[in-house]
């Protein structure tokens, strides 16, 4: 399986995860606790599947370098670094949110959950944009190591 196919699959998992989270958030606002719980578990499962696919692609295939114009590279790199920072924050918030839910600390879960969802949505959106920039909008760059794919050298 080539890198662009795995990237499409992993990005689809990210988008599906965000959709499940959005619907789950709507369900809890409507008082549908069981639907909320199932959708949030599905959201986390799709996020975990994304992570597995992403890491497998990184380890076995490599990462895709930016193939767009060099004049656009600094903007792409800044955007990618922003996305990477979010991908570090989002799972930490998710674990905290899930912990409070599991411990039935719903007062804290209600405070952290909306922030987790917002960061998750932005992470998914920026991840989709990274995918589009790497594989759809510009010519696909070469497959390389992670450091070169992020920083360009």
């Amino acid at each position: 399986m080539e890198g662009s196919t795995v990237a499409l699959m992993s990005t689809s998992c990210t988008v599906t995860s965000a959709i499940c989270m959005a619907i789950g958030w709507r369900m809890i606002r409507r008082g549908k606790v069981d639907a909320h719980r199932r959708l949030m578990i599905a959201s986390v499962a799709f996020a975990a599947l994304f992570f597995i696919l992403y890491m497998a692609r990184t380890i076995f295939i490599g990462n895709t370098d930016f193939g767009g114009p060099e004049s656009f590279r600094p903007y792409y790199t800044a955007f990618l670094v922003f996305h990477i920072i979010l991908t570090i924050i989002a799972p930490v918030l998710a674990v905290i949110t899930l912990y409070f839910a599991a411990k039935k600390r719903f007062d804290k879960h209600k405070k952290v959950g909306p922030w987790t969802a917002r960061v998750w949505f932005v992470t998914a959106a920026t991840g989709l944009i990274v995918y589009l920039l790497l594989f759809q909008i510009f010519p696909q760059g070469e497959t390389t190591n992670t450091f070169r794919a992020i920083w360009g050298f």
Side-chain angles (χ1 to χ4, degrees):
M1 200 177 297
E2 75 178 55
S4 62
T5 303
V6 179
L8 175 60
M9 291 169 47
S10 64
T11 302
S12 297
C13 287
T14 297
V15 171
T16 303
S17 174
I19 291 168
C20 287
M21 184 168 287
I23 297 169
W25 194 356
R26 187 170 178 93
M27 290 297 106
I28 199 62
R29 293 182 63 117
R30 292 182 172 182
K32 298 181 179 184
V33 176
D34 287 337
H36 168 76
R37 184 180 309 116
R38 285 192 307 273
L39 284 158
M40 292 306 179
I41 290 169
S43 179
V44 170
F46 277 108
L49 183 55
F50 156 79
F51 183 72
I52 291 165
L53 289 168
Y54 178 80
M55 290 309 297
R57 183 177 62 117
T58 298
I59 292 166
F60 297 113
I61 299 171
N63 286 98
T64 302
D65 193 13
F66 179 66
E70 282 303 311
S71 62
F72 195 73
R73 184 181 286 277
Y75 304 106
Y76 168 77
T77 301
F79 186 80
L80 181 61
V81 168
F82 173 70
H83 170 69
I84 290 169
I85 290 167
L86 291 177
T87 65
I88 294 166
I89 295 169
V92 171
L93 288 173
V95 167
I96 292 167
T97 304
L98 290 169
Y99 173 81
F100 287 142
K103 294 294 184 181
K104 300 189 184 320
R105 297 291 315 271
F106 297 116
D107 56 328
K108 293 189 182 250
H109 178 79
K110 287 179 186 178
K111 289 181 181 175
V112 178
W115 288 103
T116 302
R118 289 177 184 114
V119 172
W120 201 284
F121 296 145
V122 176
T123 302
T126 57
L128 176 60
I129 292 168
V130 167
Y131 168 79
L132 292 172
L133 291 170
L134 288 178
F135 297 101
Q136 302 299 317
I137 296 172
F138 297 114
Q140 185 174 330
E142 70 178 73
T143 299
T144 186
N145 65 58
T146 301
F147 185 80
R148 187 172 295 138
I150 294 171
W151 301 108
F153 53 86

